[in-house]
Amino acid sequence: MTAGSMGSQTDPEGKVELWQLARKRGLSRRRFLQLLSAGGTAAVLASCTGLPLPTATRPSTLESTTEAPLFTKDPAPFNDLGGGNLEARLENMQGLITPSRFFFVRNNSVSLKVDAADWRLSVEGDAVANPLELSYDDILSLPSRTFISCLECAGNHRAMFDLVTGQPAKGTQWKTGAVSNGIWTGAAMREVLERAGITDKAVSVLLVGLDTGSPEEGFRRVMPVKKAMDPDTLLAYALNGETLPRDHGFPVRALAPGWVGAASIKWLGRIVVSSKQLWTRNNTTSYTLIGDAYPPEGEALGRPLTTQTVKSALALPWEAELEAGEHCIFGFAHSPNGPIAEVEWSADSGETWNSSTLEESQIQPEFEHLAEAPGSKAFRYSWTRFRFTWDAPPGEYTIMTRATDAAGNTQPDEIPFNEKGYLFNQPVPHPVRVAGS
Ligand SMILES: Nc1nc2c(c(=O)[nH]1)N[C@H]1C(S)=C(S)[C@@H](COP(=O)(O)O)O[C@H]1N2
Ligand SMILES: [Mo]
């Protein structure tokens, strides 16, 4: 049916009546047709009665965003924390690289389904001379880069504010699995910024996702022009040598290595380059350190997050159960400030510390061909595996680990509280029960 046919008297499906009803209630013909094609009679009636529309009938250029699930991967290997948050189990991770099926997921709305053929990335704003629209093929044809990088949510270890300090922080109660380590392939974001004629007035770069239905339509994050122009900030389209999975932002996501995960916008749709400092929800009230120790900056309620912090965690179930005797215990450590220099461990709540062994690379054979030689820049943003042998006597323990990076940053004994519980990096006391022999 077209708009022109709606005056017709012959209408077996009763759409003329429906249109008349819709018109009486003030619906435009265009909106009527949109609703009809998206959700049928029920959608039109819902709109006519003023009920909130089911999201499936929202007008959207991406028809596909309708009815999107919270995530699409099998949740079995994860701790499903609800609301589109799949926490990785570090004990699943047998090598340096996190296979995609084990890679954590953090969705503020849903896992969008985007058709690469329809997808466009716009590059706009008052600090570009030639605004651009790029297709998927345009991005794929740019010079590509591949390197290993961990990706970590700012809220990783958040549950420790409650468990360790007794002061619970708001938000998803991640323990240690809001982090994973992948091999990323993409084009440097600066390639498109340069093609768009970024000017020397540029200050802020706003990345906008195609999300719908989230508290802020289009999940977005601002980064300074310096980070956006860093050759390691990617428009990523592959993870572990395969097309970027839907849950991780297909067709193209940003990857901002070393920065809080929220800066790595998935299902990227728009880049706005501004000559002014930009403020949005995600650098004023969210993804901002808010608390006594963090005076407000600009329009933010505290200090907007940028980089992650040095951290370590054990690849053991929480809580772990072991038989008495000798065990080789593994874990992962990472820092945004360069390689990990040392990881210590303690089985007596931090009274005494022992050193652990850092693994050189330990890439699983299926990923070896994707990564460059160990020691190359390919490993600059990777996490490091460490291991130690523990001769475990029966009893109940907490094992703590403490990482130090090459720049000398160490996990601190105490950090100030912040309301949303970001960047907890005190040593984590991992509960371990050792059965008697
Ligand atoms: N468009 C969009 N991008 C997003 C998010 C989102 O909800 N929507 N979540 C962000 C957050 S908070 C994190 S921690 C990472 C998680 O990436 P992953 O799900 O691929 O592990 O994606 C970021 N990018
Ligand atoms: Mo996050």
Side-chain angles (χ1 to χ4, degrees), residues 103-109 151 153 209 211 219 247-248 253 261-262 264-267 287:
F103 207 102
F104 89 102
V105 177
R106 165 50 170 144
N107 285 338
N108 289 268
S109 58
L151 177 68
C153 181
D211 314 44
F219 187 81
D247 288 331
H248 298 294
R253 78 175 301 164
S264 292
I265 298 294
K266 303 194 273 190
W267 315 290
Y287 303 100

mmCIF file with all atom_site columns, all heavy atoms in Angstrom, residues 103-109 151 153 209 211 219 247-248 253 261-262 264-267 287, ligand 1:
data_model
loop_
_atom_site.group_PDB
_atom_site.id
_atom_site.type_symbol
_atom_site.label_atom_id
_atom_site.label_alt_id
_atom_site.label_comp_id
_atom_site.label_asym_id
_atom_site.label_entity_id
_atom_site.label_seq_id
_atom_site.pdbx_PDB_ins_code
_atom_site.Cartn_x
_atom_site.Cartn_y
_atom_site.Cartn_z
_atom_site.occupancy
_atom_site.B_iso_or_equiv
_atom_site.pdbx_formal_charge
_atom_site.auth_seq_id
_atom_site.auth_comp_id
_atom_site.auth_asym_id
_atom_site.auth_atom_id
_atom_site.pdbx_PDB_model_num
ATOM   1   N N   . PHE A 1 103 ? 35.596 -13.846 25.227 1.00 0.00 ? 103 PHE A N   1
ATOM   2   C CA  . PHE A 1 103 ? 35.880 -12.402 25.386 1.00 0.00 ? 103 PHE A CA  1
ATOM   3   C C   . PHE A 1 103 ? 34.702 -11.721 26.077 1.00 0.00 ? 103 PHE A C   1
ATOM   4   O O   . PHE A 1 103 ? 33.559 -11.861 25.654 1.00 0.00 ? 103 PHE A O   1
ATOM   5   C CB  . PHE A 1 103 ? 36.103 -11.786 24.002 1.00 0.00 ? 103 PHE A CB  1
ATOM   6   C CG  . PHE A 1 103 ? 36.983 -10.564 23.999 1.00 0.00 ? 103 PHE A CG  1
ATOM   7   C CD1 . PHE A 1 103 ? 38.309 -10.645 23.599 1.00 0.00 ? 103 PHE A CD1 1
ATOM   8   C CD2 . PHE A 1 103 ? 36.480 -9.330  24.387 1.00 0.00 ? 103 PHE A CD2 1
ATOM   9   C CE1 . PHE A 1 103 ? 39.127 -9.508  23.583 1.00 0.00 ? 103 PHE A CE1 1
ATOM   10  C CE2 . PHE A 1 103 ? 37.284 -8.197  24.377 1.00 0.00 ? 103 PHE A CE2 1
ATOM   11  C CZ  . PHE A 1 103 ? 38.615 -8.281  23.977 1.00 0.00 ? 103 PHE A CZ  1
ATOM   12  N N   . PHE A 1 104 ? 34.959 -10.972 27.125 1.00 0.00 ? 104 PHE A N   1
ATOM   13  C CA  . PHE A 1 104 ? 33.868 -10.364 27.910 1.00 0.00 ? 104 PHE A CA  1
ATOM   14  C C   . PHE A 1 104 ? 33.034 -9.420  27.040 1.00 0.00 ? 104 PHE A C   1
ATOM   15  O O   . PHE A 1 104 ? 33.514 -8.896  26.026 1.00 0.00 ? 104 PHE A O   1
ATOM   16  C CB  . PHE A 1 104 ? 34.416 -9.639  29.146 1.00 0.00 ? 104 PHE A CB  1
ATOM   17  C CG  . PHE A 1 104 ? 34.790 -8.190  28.926 1.00 0.00 ? 104 PHE A CG  1
ATOM   18  C CD1 . PHE A 1 104 ? 33.951 -7.166  29.362 1.00 0.00 ? 104 PHE A CD1 1
ATOM   19  C CD2 . PHE A 1 104 ? 35.973 -7.837  28.302 1.00 0.00 ? 104 PHE A CD2 1
ATOM   20  C CE1 . PHE A 1 104 ? 34.289 -5.821  29.168 1.00 0.00 ? 104 PHE A CE1 1
ATOM   21  C CE2 . PHE A 1 104 ? 36.315 -6.509  28.102 1.00 0.00 ? 104 PHE A CE2 1
ATOM   22  C CZ  . PHE A 1 104 ? 35.474 -5.492  28.535 1.00 0.00 ? 104 PHE A CZ  1
ATOM   23  N N   . VAL A 1 105 ? 31.779 -9.218  27.455 1.00 0.00 ? 105 VAL A N   1
ATOM   24  C CA  . VAL A 1 105 ? 30.876 -8.309  26.737 1.00 0.00 ? 105 VAL A CA  1
ATOM   25  C C   . VAL A 1 105 ? 30.308 -7.302  27.730 1.00 0.00 ? 105 VAL A C   1
ATOM   26  O O   . VAL A 1 105 ? 29.868 -7.664  28.829 1.00 0.00 ? 105 VAL A O   1
ATOM   27  C CB  . VAL A 1 105 ? 29.697 -9.061  26.077 1.00 0.00 ? 105 VAL A CB  1
ATOM   28  C CG1 . VAL A 1 105 ? 28.730 -8.075  25.410 1.00 0.00 ? 105 VAL A CG1 1
ATOM   29  C CG2 . VAL A 1 105 ? 30.203 -10.080 25.063 1.00 0.00 ? 105 VAL A CG2 1
ATOM   30  N N   . ARG A 1 106 ? 30.330 -6.033  27.314 1.00 0.00 ? 106 ARG A N   1
ATOM   31  C CA  . ARG A 1 106 ? 29.722 -4.982  28.129 1.00 0.00 ? 106 ARG A CA  1
ATOM   32  C C   . ARG A 1 106 ? 28.873 -4.121  27.187 1.00 0.00 ? 106 ARG A C   1
ATOM   33  O O   . ARG A 1 106 ? 29.408 -3.342  26.395 1.00 0.00 ? 106 ARG A O   1
ATOM   34  C CB  . ARG A 1 106 ? 30.829 -4.164  28.797 1.00 0.00 ? 106 ARG A CB  1
ATOM   35  C CG  . ARG A 1 106 ? 30.431 -2.824  29.401 1.00 0.00 ? 106 ARG A CG  1
ATOM   36  C CD  . ARG A 1 106 ? 29.261 -2.885  30.295 1.00 0.00 ? 106 ARG A CD  1
ATOM   37  N NE  . ARG A 1 106 ? 29.039 -1.667  31.036 1.00 0.00 ? 106 ARG A NE  1
ATOM   38  C CZ  . ARG A 1 106 ? 27.816 -1.196  31.320 1.00 0.00 ? 106 ARG A CZ  1
ATOM   39  N NH1 . ARG A 1 106 ? 26.741 -1.827  30.876 1.00 0.00 ? 106 ARG A NH1 1
ATOM   40  N NH2 . ARG A 1 106 ? 27.673 -0.116  32.037 1.00 0.00 ? 106 ARG A NH2 1
ATOM   41  N N   . ASN A 1 107 ? 27.565 -4.327  27.269 1.00 0.00 ? 107 ASN A N   1
ATOM   42  C CA  . ASN A 1 107 ? 26.643 -3.547  26.451 1.00 0.00 ? 107 ASN A CA  1
ATOM   43  C C   . ASN A 1 107 ? 25.809 -2.638  27.330 1.00 0.00 ? 107 ASN A C   1
ATOM   44  O O   . ASN A 1 107 ? 25.206 -3.099  28.289 1.00 0.00 ? 107 ASN A O   1
ATOM   45  C CB  . ASN A 1 107 ? 25.698 -4.469  25.669 1.00 0.00 ? 107 ASN A CB  1
ATOM   46  C CG  . ASN A 1 107 ? 26.405 -5.138  24.508 1.00 0.00 ? 107 ASN A CG  1
ATOM   47  O OD1 . ASN A 1 107 ? 27.425 -4.650  24.040 1.00 0.00 ? 107 ASN A OD1 1
ATOM   48  N ND2 . ASN A 1 107 ? 25.873 -6.252  24.051 1.00 0.00 ? 107 ASN A ND2 1
ATOM   49  N N   . ASN A 1 108 ? 25.778 -1.368  26.983 1.00 0.00 ? 108 ASN A N   1
ATOM   50  C CA  . ASN A 1 108 ? 24.903 -0.444  27.704 1.00 0.00 ? 108 ASN A CA  1
ATOM   51  C C   . ASN A 1 108 ? 23.475 -0.522  27.185 1.00 0.00 ? 108 ASN A C   1
ATOM   52  O O   . ASN A 1 108 ? 22.559 -0.098  27.856 1.00 0.00 ? 108 ASN A O   1
ATOM   53  C CB  . ASN A 1 108 ? 25.443 0.978   27.611 1.00 0.00 ? 108 ASN A CB  1
ATOM   54  C CG  . ASN A 1 108 ? 26.708 1.152   28.436 1.00 0.00 ? 108 ASN A CG  1
ATOM   55  O OD1 . ASN A 1 108 ? 26.648 1.528   29.586 1.00 0.00 ? 108 ASN A OD1 1
ATOM   56  N ND2 . ASN A 1 108 ? 27.853 0.804   27.872 1.00 0.00 ? 108 ASN A ND2 1
ATOM   57  N N   . SER A 1 109 ? 23.300 -1.034  25.980 1.00 0.00 ? 109 SER A N   1
ATOM   58  C CA  . SER A 1 109 ? 21.939 -1.242  25.477 1.00 0.00 ? 109 SER A CA  1
ATOM   59  C C   . SER A 1 109 ? 21.830 -2.684  25.007 1.00 0.00 ? 109 SER A C   1
ATOM   60  O O   . SER A 1 109 ? 21.657 -3.584  25.823 1.00 0.00 ? 109 SER A O   1
ATOM   61  C CB  . SER A 1 109 ? 21.599 -0.249  24.371 1.00 0.00 ? 109 SER A CB  1
ATOM   62  O OG  . SER A 1 109 ? 22.507 -0.332  23.288 1.00 0.00 ? 109 SER A OG  1
ATOM   63  N N   . LEU A 1 151 ? 41.479 -5.158  26.474 1.00 0.00 ? 151 LEU A N   1
ATOM   64  C CA  . LEU A 1 151 ? 40.377 -4.200  26.533 1.00 0.00 ? 151 LEU A CA  1
ATOM   65  C C   . LEU A 1 151 ? 39.741 -4.428  27.896 1.00 0.00 ? 151 LEU A C   1
ATOM   66  O O   . LEU A 1 151 ? 39.404 -5.564  28.240 1.00 0.00 ? 151 LEU A O   1
ATOM   67  C CB  . LEU A 1 151 ? 39.380 -4.498  25.413 1.00 0.00 ? 151 LEU A CB  1
ATOM   68  C CG  . LEU A 1 151 ? 38.123 -3.630  25.370 1.00 0.00 ? 151 LEU A CG  1
ATOM   69  C CD1 . LEU A 1 151 ? 38.481 -2.199  24.996 1.00 0.00 ? 151 LEU A CD1 1
ATOM   70  C CD2 . LEU A 1 151 ? 37.127 -4.175  24.348 1.00 0.00 ? 151 LEU A CD2 1
ATOM   71  N N   . CYS A 1 153 ? 37.031 -2.900  30.975 1.00 0.00 ? 153 CYS A N   1
ATOM   72  C CA  . CYS A 1 153 ? 35.998 -1.974  31.410 1.00 0.00 ? 153 CYS A CA  1
ATOM   73  C C   . CYS A 1 153 ? 36.507 -1.174  32.611 1.00 0.00 ? 153 CYS A C   1
ATOM   74  O O   . CYS A 1 153 ? 37.178 -1.725  33.495 1.00 0.00 ? 153 CYS A O   1
ATOM   75  C CB  . CYS A 1 153 ? 34.737 -2.740  31.801 1.00 0.00 ? 153 CYS A CB  1
ATOM   76  S SG  . CYS A 1 153 ? 33.390 -1.668  32.321 1.00 0.00 ? 153 CYS A SG  1
ATOM   77  N N   . GLY A 1 209 ? 28.161 5.735   18.888 1.00 0.00 ? 209 GLY A N   1
ATOM   78  C CA  . GLY A 1 209 ? 27.706 4.420   18.448 1.00 0.00 ? 209 GLY A CA  1
ATOM   79  C C   . GLY A 1 209 ? 26.288 4.511   17.904 1.00 0.00 ? 209 GLY A C   1
ATOM   80  O O   . GLY A 1 209 ? 25.608 5.529   18.057 1.00 0.00 ? 209 GLY A O   1
ATOM   81  N N   . ASP A 1 211 ? 23.820 2.733   18.887 1.00 0.00 ? 211 ASP A N   1
ATOM   82  C CA  . ASP A 1 211 ? 22.892 2.180   19.887 1.00 0.00 ? 211 ASP A CA  1
ATOM   83  C C   . ASP A 1 211 ? 21.578 2.947   19.917 1.00 0.00 ? 211 ASP A C   1
ATOM   84  O O   . ASP A 1 211 ? 21.557 4.165   19.787 1.00 0.00 ? 211 ASP A O   1
ATOM   85  C CB  . ASP A 1 211 ? 23.443 2.273   21.322 1.00 0.00 ? 211 ASP A CB  1
ATOM   86  C CG  . ASP A 1 211 ? 24.869 1.827   21.464 1.00 0.00 ? 211 ASP A CG  1
ATOM   87  O OD1 . ASP A 1 211 ? 25.687 2.206   20.617 1.00 0.00 ? 211 ASP A OD1 1
ATOM   88  O OD2 . ASP A 1 211 ? 25.150 1.125   22.429 1.00 0.00 ? 211 ASP A OD2 1
ATOM   89  N N   . PHE A 1 219 ? 25.497 5.439   22.234 1.00 0.00 ? 219 PHE A N   1
ATOM   90  C CA  . PHE A 1 219 ? 26.511 5.445   23.289 1.00 0.00 ? 219 PHE A CA  1
ATOM   91  C C   . PHE A 1 219 ? 27.734 6.189   22.751 1.00 0.00 ? 219 PHE A C   1
ATOM   92  O O   . PHE A 1 219 ? 28.174 5.946   21.633 1.00 0.00 ? 219 PHE A O   1
ATOM   93  C CB  . PHE A 1 219 ? 26.855 4.009   23.673 1.00 0.00 ? 219 PHE A CB  1
ATOM   94  C CG  . PHE A 1 219 ? 27.755 3.920   24.868 1.00 0.00 ? 219 PHE A CG  1
ATOM   95  C CD1 . PHE A 1 219 ? 27.235 4.037   26.150 1.00 0.00 ? 219 PHE A CD1 1
ATOM   96  C CD2 . PHE A 1 219 ? 29.120 3.747   24.710 1.00 0.00 ? 219 PHE A CD2 1
ATOM   97  C CE1 . PHE A 1 219 ? 28.076 3.963   27.260 1.00 0.00 ? 219 PHE A CE1 1
ATOM   98  C CE2 . PHE A 1 219 ? 29.961 3.677   25.814 1.00 0.00 ? 219 PHE A CE2 1
ATOM   99  C CZ  . PHE A 1 219 ? 29.430 3.779   27.087 1.00 0.00 ? 219 PHE A CZ  1
ATOM   100 N N   . ASP A 1 247 ? 28.675 -8.939  18.858 1.00 0.00 ? 247 ASP A N   1
ATOM   101 C CA  . ASP A 1 247 ? 28.696 -8.471  20.253 1.00 0.00 ? 247 ASP A CA  1
ATOM   102 C C   . ASP A 1 247 ? 29.824 -7.471  20.508 1.00 0.00 ? 247 ASP A C   1
ATOM   103 O O   . ASP A 1 247 ? 29.783 -6.734  21.494 1.00 0.00 ? 247 ASP A O   1
ATOM   104 C CB  . ASP A 1 247 ? 28.893 -9.646  21.216 1.00 0.00 ? 247 ASP A CB  1
ATOM   105 C CG  . ASP A 1 247 ? 27.655 -10.528 21.309 1.00 0.00 ? 247 ASP A CG  1
ATOM   106 O OD1 . ASP A 1 247 ? 26.543 -10.016 21.117 1.00 0.00 ? 247 ASP A OD1 1
ATOM   107 O OD2 . ASP A 1 247 ? 27.818 -11.743 21.581 1.00 0.00 ? 247 ASP A OD2 1
ATOM   108 N N   . HIS A 1 248 ? 30.837 -7.491  19.644 1.00 0.00 ? 248 HIS A N   1
ATOM   109 C CA  . HIS A 1 248 ? 31.989 -6.615  19.879 1.00 0.00 ? 248 HIS A CA  1
ATOM   110 C C   . HIS A 1 248 ? 32.004 -5.417  18.945 1.00 0.00 ? 248 HIS A C   1
ATOM   111 O O   . HIS A 1 248 ? 32.995 -4.694  18.884 1.00 0.00 ? 248 HIS A O   1
ATOM   112 C CB  . HIS A 1 248 ? 33.286 -7.431  19.813 1.00 0.00 ? 248 HIS A CB  1
ATOM   113 C CG  . HIS A 1 248 ? 33.324 -8.494  20.875 1.00 0.00 ? 248 HIS A CG  1
ATOM   114 N ND1 . HIS A 1 248 ? 33.372 -8.193  22.218 1.00 0.00 ? 248 HIS A ND1 1
ATOM   115 C CD2 . HIS A 1 248 ? 33.224 -9.845  20.798 1.00 0.00 ? 248 HIS A CD2 1
ATOM   116 C CE1 . HIS A 1 248 ? 33.336 -9.318  22.921 1.00 0.00 ? 248 HIS A CE1 1
ATOM   117 N NE2 . HIS A 1 248 ? 33.238 -10.332 22.088 1.00 0.00 ? 248 HIS A NE2 1
ATOM   118 N N   . ARG A 1 253 ? 34.362 -0.836  15.098 1.00 0.00 ? 253 ARG A N   1
ATOM   119 C CA  . ARG A 1 253 ? 34.369 -0.218  16.421 1.00 0.00 ? 253 ARG A CA  1
ATOM   120 C C   . ARG A 1 253 ? 35.658 0.586   16.568 1.00 0.00 ? 253 ARG A C   1
ATOM   121 O O   . ARG A 1 253 ? 36.626 0.336   15.855 1.00 0.00 ? 253 ARG A O   1
ATOM   122 C CB  . ARG A 1 253 ? 34.324 -1.268  17.521 1.00 0.00 ? 253 ARG A CB  1
ATOM   123 C CG  . ARG A 1 253 ? 35.675 -1.925  17.746 1.00 0.00 ? 253 ARG A CG  1
ATOM   124 C CD  . ARG A 1 253 ? 35.705 -2.892  18.916 1.00 0.00 ? 253 ARG A CD  1
ATOM   125 N NE  . ARG A 1 253 ? 35.343 -2.269  20.169 1.00 0.00 ? 253 ARG A NE  1
ATOM   126 C CZ  . ARG A 1 253 ? 35.011 -2.953  21.260 1.00 0.00 ? 253 ARG A CZ  1
ATOM   127 N NH1 . ARG A 1 253 ? 35.011 -4.278  21.237 1.00 0.00 ? 253 ARG A NH1 1
ATOM   128 N NH2 . ARG A 1 253 ? 34.703 -2.336  22.358 1.00 0.00 ? 253 ARG A NH2 1
ATOM   129 N N   . GLY A 1 261 ? 37.521 0.956   28.666 1.00 0.00 ? 261 GLY A N   1
ATOM   130 C CA  . GLY A 1 261 ? 36.793 0.301   27.576 1.00 0.00 ? 261 GLY A CA  1
ATOM   131 C C   . GLY A 1 261 ? 35.715 1.177   26.954 1.00 0.00 ? 261 GLY A C   1
ATOM   132 O O   . GLY A 1 261 ? 35.427 1.057   25.753 1.00 0.00 ? 261 GLY A O   1
ATOM   133 N N   . ALA A 1 262 ? 35.114 2.042   27.746 1.00 0.00 ? 262 ALA A N   1
ATOM   134 C CA  . ALA A 1 262 ? 34.002 2.868   27.261 1.00 0.00 ? 262 ALA A CA  1
ATOM   135 C C   . ALA A 1 262 ? 34.406 3.775   26.105 1.00 0.00 ? 262 ALA A C   1
ATOM   136 O O   . ALA A 1 262 ? 33.555 4.255   25.358 1.00 0.00 ? 262 ALA A O   1
ATOM   137 C CB  . ALA A 1 262 ? 33.429 3.701   28.407 1.00 0.00 ? 262 ALA A CB  1
ATOM   138 N N   . SER A 1 264 ? 36.154 2.778   23.618 1.00 0.00 ? 264 SER A N   1
ATOM   139 C CA  . SER A 1 264 ? 36.236 1.930   22.419 1.00 0.00 ? 264 SER A CA  1
ATOM   140 C C   . SER A 1 264 ? 34.827 1.675   21.900 1.00 0.00 ? 264 SER A C   1
ATOM   141 O O   . SER A 1 264 ? 34.272 0.581   22.058 1.00 0.00 ? 264 SER A O   1
ATOM   142 C CB  . SER A 1 264 ? 36.972 0.631   22.752 1.00 0.00 ? 264 SER A CB  1
ATOM   143 O OG  . SER A 1 264 ? 38.332 0.903   23.017 1.00 0.00 ? 264 SER A OG  1
ATOM   144 N N   . ILE A 1 265 ? 34.255 2.692   21.271 1.00 0.00 ? 265 ILE A N   1
ATOM   145 C CA  . ILE A 1 265 ? 32.845 2.677   20.871 1.00 0.00 ? 265 ILE A CA  1
ATOM   146 C C   . ILE A 1 265 ? 32.581 1.592   19.827 1.00 0.00 ? 265 ILE A C   1
ATOM   147 O O   . ILE A 1 265 ? 33.237 1.542   18.784 1.00 0.00 ? 265 ILE A O   1
ATOM   148 C CB  . ILE A 1 265 ? 32.434 4.068   20.320 1.00 0.00 ? 265 ILE A CB  1
ATOM   149 C CG1 . ILE A 1 265 ? 32.575 5.132   21.414 1.00 0.00 ? 265 ILE A CG1 1
ATOM   150 C CG2 . ILE A 1 265 ? 31.012 4.045   19.759 1.00 0.00 ? 265 ILE A CG2 1
ATOM   151 C CD1 . ILE A 1 265 ? 31.646 4.991   22.593 1.00 0.00 ? 265 ILE A CD1 1
ATOM   152 N N   . LYS A 1 266 ? 31.594 0.761   20.135 1.00 0.00 ? 266 LYS A N   1
ATOM   153 C CA  . LYS A 1 266 ? 31.192 -0.318  19.221 1.00 0.00 ? 266 LYS A CA  1
ATOM   154 C C   . LYS A 1 266 ? 30.141 0.208   18.236 1.00 0.00 ? 266 LYS A C   1
ATOM   155 O O   . LYS A 1 266 ? 29.523 1.240   18.472 1.00 0.00 ? 266 LYS A O   1
ATOM   156 C CB  . LYS A 1 266 ? 30.612 -1.481  20.031 1.00 0.00 ? 266 LYS A CB  1
ATOM   157 C CG  . LYS A 1 266 ? 31.580 -2.012  21.092 1.00 0.00 ? 266 LYS A CG  1
ATOM   158 C CD  . LYS A 1 266 ? 31.162 -3.355  21.648 1.00 0.00 ? 266 LYS A CD  1
ATOM   159 C CE  . LYS A 1 266 ? 30.215 -3.259  22.814 1.00 0.00 ? 266 LYS A CE  1
ATOM   160 N NZ  . LYS A 1 266 ? 30.030 -4.589  23.480 1.00 0.00 ? 266 LYS A NZ  1
ATOM   161 N N   . TRP A 1 267 ? 29.922 -0.521  17.155 1.00 0.00 ? 267 TRP A N   1
ATOM   162 C CA  . TRP A 1 267 ? 28.930 -0.134  16.132 1.00 0.00 ? 267 TRP A CA  1
ATOM   163 C C   . TRP A 1 267 ? 29.067 1.365   15.854 1.00 0.00 ? 267 TRP A C   1
ATOM   164 O O   . TRP A 1 267 ? 28.090 2.122   15.884 1.00 0.00 ? 267 TRP A O   1
ATOM   165 C CB  . TRP A 1 267 ? 27.513 -0.467  16.603 1.00 0.00 ? 267 TRP A CB  1
ATOM   166 C CG  . TRP A 1 267 ? 27.399 -1.823  17.210 1.00 0.00 ? 267 TRP A CG  1
ATOM   167 C CD1 . TRP A 1 267 ? 27.480 -3.016  16.549 1.00 0.00 ? 267 TRP A CD1 1
ATOM   168 C CD2 . TRP A 1 267 ? 27.191 -2.148  18.600 1.00 0.00 ? 267 TRP A CD2 1
ATOM   169 N NE1 . TRP A 1 267 ? 27.358 -4.055  17.441 1.00 0.00 ? 267 TRP A NE1 1
ATOM   170 C CE2 . TRP A 1 267 ? 27.178 -3.552  18.700 1.00 0.00 ? 267 TRP A CE2 1
ATOM   171 C CE3 . TRP A 1 267 ? 27.029 -1.396  19.752 1.00 0.00 ? 267 TRP A CE3 1
ATOM   172 C CZ2 . TRP A 1 267 ? 27.005 -4.202  19.927 1.00 0.00 ? 267 TRP A CZ2 1
ATOM   173 C CZ3 . TRP A 1 267 ? 26.862 -2.042  20.960 1.00 0.00 ? 267 TRP A CZ3 1
ATOM   174 C CH2 . TRP A 1 267 ? 26.841 -3.427  21.036 1.00 0.00 ? 267 TRP A CH2 1
ATOM   175 N N   . TYR A 1 287 ? 31.568 7.320   33.745 1.00 0.00 ? 287 TYR A N   1
ATOM   176 C CA  . TYR A 1 287 ? 32.972 7.168   33.341 1.00 0.00 ? 287 TYR A CA  1
ATOM   177 C C   . TYR A 1 287 ? 33.799 8.370   33.806 1.00 0.00 ? 287 TYR A C   1
ATOM   178 O O   . TYR A 1 287 ? 34.666 8.883   33.095 1.00 0.00 ? 287 TYR A O   1
ATOM   179 C CB  . TYR A 1 287 ? 33.075 6.902   31.826 1.00 0.00 ? 287 TYR A CB  1
ATOM   180 C CG  . TYR A 1 287 ? 32.265 5.675   31.484 1.00 0.00 ? 287 TYR A CG  1
ATOM   181 C CD1 . TYR A 1 287 ? 30.994 5.768   30.937 1.00 0.00 ? 287 TYR A CD1 1
ATOM   182 C CD2 . TYR A 1 287 ? 32.744 4.409   31.820 1.00 0.00 ? 287 TYR A CD2 1
ATOM   183 C CE1 . TYR A 1 287 ? 30.219 4.641   30.705 1.00 0.00 ? 287 TYR A CE1 1
ATOM   184 C CE2 . TYR A 1 287 ? 31.988 3.270   31.584 1.00 0.00 ? 287 TYR A CE2 1
ATOM   185 C CZ  . TYR A 1 287 ? 30.725 3.399   31.029 1.00 0.00 ? 287 TYR A CZ  1
ATOM   186 O OH  . TYR A 1 287 ? 29.971 2.273   30.810 1.00 0.00 ? 287 TYR A OH  1
HETATM 187 N N1  . LIG B 2 .   ? 28.200 1.559   21.063 1.00 0.00 ? 1   LIG B N1  1
HETATM 188 C C1  . LIG B 2 .   ? 28.649 1.087   22.236 1.00 0.00 ? 1   LIG B C1  1
HETATM 189 N N2  . LIG B 2 .   ? 29.955 0.999   22.441 1.00 0.00 ? 1   LIG B N2  1
HETATM 190 C C2  . LIG B 2 .   ? 30.447 0.533   23.601 1.00 0.00 ? 1   LIG B C2  1
HETATM 191 C C3  . LIG B 2 .   ? 29.566 0.149   24.646 1.00 0.00 ? 1   LIG B C3  1
HETATM 192 C C4  . LIG B 2 .   ? 28.168 0.243   24.405 1.00 0.00 ? 1   LIG B C4  1
HETATM 193 O O1  . LIG B 2 .   ? 27.346 -0.095  25.242 1.00 0.00 ? 1   LIG B O1  1
HETATM 194 N N3  . LIG B 2 .   ? 27.744 0.715   23.187 1.00 0.00 ? 1   LIG B N3  1
HETATM 195 N N4  . LIG B 2 .   ? 30.098 -0.257  25.846 1.00 0.00 ? 1   LIG B N4  1
HETATM 196 C C5  . LIG B 2 .   ? 31.435 0.250   26.146 1.00 0.00 ? 1   LIG B C5  1
HETATM 197 C C6  . LIG B 2 .   ? 32.016 -0.299  27.346 1.00 0.00 ? 1   LIG B C6  1
HETATM 198 S S1  . LIG B 2 .   ? 31.497 0.389   28.805 1.00 0.00 ? 1   LIG B S1  1
HETATM 199 C C7  . LIG B 2 .   ? 33.008 -1.240  27.291 1.00 0.00 ? 1   LIG B C7  1
HETATM 200 S S2  . LIG B 2 .   ? 33.801 -1.747  28.689 1.00 0.00 ? 1   LIG B S2  1
HETATM 201 C C8  . LIG B 2 .   ? 33.432 -1.858  26.012 1.00 0.00 ? 1   LIG B C8  1
HETATM 202 C C9  . LIG B 2 .   ? 33.267 -3.358  26.067 1.00 0.00 ? 1   LIG B C9  1
HETATM 203 O O2  . LIG B 2 .   ? 33.655 -3.955  24.859 1.00 0.00 ? 1   LIG B O2  1
HETATM 204 P P1  . LIG B 2 .   ? 33.285 -5.474  24.544 1.00 0.00 ? 1   LIG B P1  1
HETATM 205 O O3  . LIG B 2 .   ? 31.826 -5.694  24.830 1.00 0.00 ? 1   LIG B O3  1
HETATM 206 O O4  . LIG B 2 .   ? 33.668 -5.685  23.133 1.00 0.00 ? 1   LIG B O4  1
HETATM 207 O O5  . LIG B 2 .   ? 34.119 -6.333  25.455 1.00 0.00 ? 1   LIG B O5  1
HETATM 208 O O6  . LIG B 2 .   ? 32.692 -1.362  24.912 1.00 0.00 ? 1   LIG B O6  1
HETATM 209 C C10 . LIG B 2 .   ? 32.377 0.018   24.985 1.00 0.00 ? 1   LIG B C10 1
HETATM 210 N N5  . LIG B 2 .   ? 31.774 0.438   23.752 1.00 0.00 ? 1   LIG B N5  1
#
